[in-house]
Amino acid sequence: MTPLRRLGRFAVRVCVLYTVLTVTSSVLAVVQGQETDTHVHLLARLAFVLIGLGAFELVDELRRRATHAPRWLLAVAGYLVAVVAIMAGLWVFAATGGELHPNAYRDAFWNFTAVGLVVVVAVAVRDLIAARRRR
């Protein structure tokens, strides 16, 4: 796959995941009686999606290059890189004068992990179905 095609695929994935997360978050917020969301929060969500899917691409590239390495080890490495990037991003935001909720780091960690697990399970199911069809 060409780099331009991979970039296009990445952009589509970012748009789809960001939209699904934003709509889900908005529906939950409205149901709970909260009718506003800040632009900073929306941009932070986009940054999290970019980091998460970037880690996914990193793991995919590592799988191609390090075929001997266990997949779980590559996945853990990608996850750790993404979590560190997110925590560093929050720290930089706070250090430059941004206001964070007292539970921002905890919430970011758990939300990122939960969404990441859903994405990993979805990809694993897709791969399993594709492998069965090839037989």
Side-chain angles (χ1 to χ4, degrees), residues 2-21:
T2 67
L4 188 58
R5 186 138 189 231
R6 287 183 70 187
L7 181 61
R9 182 182 68 179
F10 180 76
V12 168
R13 288 178 176 173
V14 166
C15 292
V16 169
L17 186 58
Y18 179 76
T19 301
V20 168
L21 292 174

Side-chain angles (χ1 to χ4, degrees), residues 51-132:
I51 290 169
L53 290 177
F56 224 83
E57 290 293 322
L58 171 68
V59 169
D60 195 41
E61 186 63 28
L62 288 173
R63 280 178 45 199
R64 276 195 279 278
R65 291 178 184 223
T67 55
H68 61 281
R71 284 186 176 186
W72 68 267
L73 183 60
L74 299 176
V76 168
Y79 172 77
L80 290 175
V81 166
V83 168
V84 167
I86 285 172
M87 295 303 153
L90 288 173
W91 181 81
V92 167
F93 178 72
T96 57
E99 190 174 324
L100 292 178
H101 186 275
N103 298 327
Y105 291 98
R106 182 201 68 192
D107 293 348
F109 173 79
W110 287 115
N111 287 328
F112 180 78
T113 300
V115 171
L117 284 173
V118 169
V119 170
V120 166
V121 168
V123 169
V125 168
R126 183 200 68 190
D127 289 349
L128 190 68
I129 291 169
R132 285 188 180 175

